[in-house]
Amino acid sequence: MKNLWSDRDASKLSGVELLAYTSRLIGANPELVVWGGGNSSLKCVEPDHKGQKTRVMYIKGSGSDMRTIERKHFARLRLDDLILLENRSSMTDEEMVEYLGQTMMGGNQPRPSIETLLHAFVPHDHVYHTHADAITSLTDTPHSADVLEKVFGQELAVVPYTRPGFTLSKWVGAIARKDLRLKGVILDKHGLITWGSTPKEAYGRTLSFCTRAEKFIQASKRKRPRPLGRATVKPPAFAERRARMAVLLPSMRGVLSEGQRMILLWDDSRETLDFTGLDGAAAASQLGPMTPDHLMHIKPSPLFVLRPSRDASKLAGQLKQGLLSYKRNYLRYFHRYKEGGLNQLDPFPRVILIPGLGMVTTGKNWQAASIVRDLYHHNLRVIQNASAVEWFQSISEKEIHRFEYWPLENYKLTLLPKEKEFSRRIVLVTGGASGIGRATAFAFAREGAQVFVTDLDAQGAADAAKGICQKYGEGAAASCGMDVGDEQSVQKGFEGCVLAYGGLDIVFSNAGTAKSSPIKDMPLKDWELSMRVNATGHFLVARETARIMVRQGMGGVFILNASKNVTAPGKDFAAYSASKAASAQLARIMAMEHGGDHIRVNVVNPDAIFEGSKLWESVSRQRAKAHGVSLEELKKFYIDRNLLKSQVKSEDVAEAVLFLASDRAAKTTGAMFPVDGGVKEAFPR
Ligand code: ZN
């Protein structure tokens, strides 16, 4: 394991800045901690608010990520107040949290880690706690104490498993004080704690203990190269896997979203394909998490699909049964150990393992699902390592329940910001590289949606998706090229969306083209292109939408971008107006056919959007001619024409689309919604 310590970098830092630096070195290695796991502390003497020298402890705030941790993520506590608690015999979690709050020095601090007292009771200045894969691979075995003694001798003490809190802190403190030569302790079924007189020493010890554990695991693997048996499943080729998952994911999402919508992330990495294909993976996967800290993300166990059918629709049925039986078992488990007024959490798995196809993880958004994916990769490695050492064993089911329903862990959930209006929604936009499509894609992402941007201009779609991810976070958008007039291209585009996020909730069918000329002069190819994009294009997009949404069984929203020209056509604009009118009629029929499936279908009719619009660039000269004004006067002409005397922008259309897509418009379908500044000629007649 690589030691990242740099004397040069460290020499410029001291105190809590140095603690943050060392914590980031630990966070930089995902084999030590991932996604908010682990914690670190520093004990030192500093002046308090009166200028009096005081013993202080800095401890990582609950939930902050060691990979990116900074000074502000540490709480500053009065150490003598914390140490006083060692004299107590017991303390409830609530008393402890209340007490910790009183020891804070200064306002505006993060909530200190739940392991604060453990750090405080250890009589060493620099203390680091990790959930290192190599260490948990040894702790997660039936005879872990013997295994650990074999590897670490007397340098580390082993503390039996108990949920973090006052008791564990007392145990660790007593062990550390009794033998000052100890370099740390191992928390059984949980992780490693090391300490030292300098951060460099404590960090170095973390690495050297992990390296020793790794070597032992490697030696065990040489002796037992196939602890989970042989590979019994040969994964189909990539294209075949994609095709099956495209059918499977929407129907899975329909079941998994019974309580609240979920985003699904498919992972067919070599590692998951290899693991799920092993003979003994099904049994081993059901034995609990590698560390209870991961329970909030990955739940007690994954769903493992035994003998998956090769037929995609049969497999969909198999998965549905599997998910429902997981739910029944989960509810039994919840009630078996339930005490007091606990609120039951989501009864569905967060990890679904399918031999031959890989793994599906779920979350409220892409990022949450990707955290589950990352954590499970560590989990499956630990299962395999521990199986080579002896056999994988987690904490008991009762302890799993105690941890999963630990009020302090669940309290963290209540601190999360309120979810945005389109959180958990998957939106596909056509023609998303520019103009109205691009503005709408950004607006949906702003409100929390996962956005799949498509466009004839594949690079433009990719740029829009990249821009969204830069603004709203990794995974917020994905993209692919799509020619809406091409049947296969549309199917491939929708498949891309399903494979990226697991399904589909909202489609904004926006791609369009405009050709302007009098009928007598119009080339047939202009007419045909208009029909291909503005009529057939919407049809193909609508058909694919309906197929996926019906399979998913969660309803949905389809919004079609027509034009003011549908109700108030303009001269020299026959191909455009006629093809748009066809699409508007298509939307009405779709609303009729799919009302029973709870798919709402509405039309927006914008007028004269020229800023950032490729469509307008191509016809503005001809439109100016048709209206008898110069190109320079065209903008003013459109502004003067509407009742509000205002320029209609892409963002205005985006807001109308968001409204129609939202639950605020839950009772509106088959409607036309003008966004034209008020054009009286376009009033319904
Ligand atoms: Zn921990």
Side-chain angles (χ1 to χ4, degrees), residues 68-81:
T68 51
I69 200 161
E70 290 172 40
R71 183 193 181 119
K72 65 177 181 206
H73 300 118
F74 290 93
R76 184 173 180 247
L77 310 177
R78 196 176 291 275
L79 181 59
D80 290 336
D81 288 358

Side-chain angles (χ1 to χ4, degrees), residues 207-250:
L207 295 194
S208 78
F209 289 131
C210 290
T211 307
R212 268 155 72 181
E214 276 174 352
K215 285 189 177 146
F216 184 80
I217 293 160
Q218 278 154 13
S220 306
K221 279 182 169 172
R222 280 195 292 276
K223 279 185 233 153
R224 270 184 96 185
R226 275 190 288 273
L228 294 183
R230 290 176 184 277
T232 48
V233 181
K234 190 173 176 293
F238 177 62
E240 173 66 24
R241 293 201 295 273
R242 269 179 74 92
R244 279 195 215 170
M245 289 310 291
V247 177
L248 207 54
L249 284 165

Side-chain angles (χ1 to χ4, degrees), residues 45-56 76 105:
V45 175
E46 282 183 354
D48 69 1
H49 64 289
K50 293 174 288 188
Q52 234 160 25
K53 284 195 171 174
T54 310
R55 292 213 294 162
V56 168
R76 184 173 180 247
M105 297 172 69

Side-chain angles (χ1 to χ4, degrees), residues 2 60 104 181 199 208 216 225 235 314 343 358-359 379 386 447 551 566 620 631 671:
K2 196 166 174 240
K60 193 193 97 158
M104 286 205 197
R181 288 165 310 172
S208 78
F216 184 80
K314 273 193 196 144
N343 287 328
M359 166 164 79
N379 213 80
E447 299 306 325
R551 196 181 307 141
V566 171
S620 51
L631 188 59

Side-chain angles (χ1 to χ4, degrees), residues 515-517 519 527 562-582 605-607 616 623 626-627 637-638 641 672 676 679-685:
K515 294 286 172 196
S516 176
S517 64
I519 293 171
W527 173 264
S563 165
K564 169 236 112 186
N565 280 272
V566 171
T567 45
K571 79 181 186 54
D572 299 354
F573 227 9
Y576 183 74
S577 304
S579 56
K580 287 286 190 178
N605 283 345
D607 186 34
W616 271 99
R623 295 316 296 151
H627 293 304
F637 169 83
Y638 283 123
R641 184 169 78 172
M672 270 193 191
D676 56 9
V679 177
K680 69 178 188 320
E681 291 75 16
F683 285 176
R685 274 161 279 186

Side-chain angles (χ1 to χ4, degrees), residues 277-296:
L278 293 171
D279 226 2
S285 71
Q286 301 304 304
L287 299 174
M290 67 176 258
T291 160
D293 272 60
H294 293 177
L295 273 170
M296 298 306 287

Side-chain angles (χ1 to χ4, degrees), residues 37-39 115 129-131 164 187 190-191 291 293:
N39 43 53
E115 274 145 351
H129 168 46
T130 54
H131 303 138
L187 307 179
H190 179 168
T291 160
D293 272 60

